[in-house]
Amino acid sequence: HIVTALTQTESTVLHVAPERLWPLFKSLSFNQLTPSKVANVEVVSGSPGQVDSTFKIVYTDAAEWSIHILGVSDFHNSIIWEVVHAEPSTGFTYALNILRICRQI
């Protein structure tokens, strides 16, 4: 096996004020944002928007990911989490996600 590091960046433009989106992203309400992809988001420990909290995300295809919140910034409208477990297993060994809402100028 060859070990490699990969960085993937994605972006999209949403025609919604960041002030309306940030509370949904901060609370990881992905089931409200993308109900066709995410069936449920459950707090395992901690609370929404709190560093060191753990969540279980259940996707509509029945995949389940456990994620751990590493950072939250209301100033930057950003949240950082790592995937700590995935069922079924994924093709990667580690995933660090940074979601940031920016205002388009």
Side-chain angles (χ1 to χ4, degrees):
H1 292 245
I2 298 174
V3 178
T4 59
L6 173 70
T7 300
Q8 179 176 336
T9 302
E10 297 180 29
S11 66
T12 189
V13 175
L14 302 172
H15 299 285
V16 180
E19 302 81 33
R20 290 188 51 213
L21 285 177
W22 175 236
L24 293 170
F25 282 112
K26 183 179 178 180
S27 64
L28 299 176
S29 298
F30 298 139
N31 52 325
Q32 293 178 34
L33 292 160
T34 56
S36 64
K37 301 284 184 191
V38 178
N40 190 37
V41 178
E42 172 185 325
V43 178
V44 176
S45 67
S47 63
Q50 180 183 0
V51 173
D52 215 26
S53 296
T54 305
F55 291 77
K56 180 171 84 172
I57 301 172
V58 180
Y59 293 91
T60 54
D61 66 357
E64 294 184 7
W65 287 16
S66 294
I67 64 169
H68 178 241
I69 305 301
L70 298 174
V72 177
S73 172
D74 287 319
F75 181 78
H76 293 291
N77 290 342
S78 64
I79 186 165
I80 303 167
W81 70 88
E82 63 184 343
V83 177
V84 294
H85 183 74
E87 278 299 324
S89 62
T90 60
F92 54 84
T93 56
Y94 182 76
L96 178 71
N97 297 269
I98 303 169
L99 188 146
R100 183 171 178 204
I101 300 173
C102 302
R103 183 175 299 279
Q104 188 176 8
I105 300 175

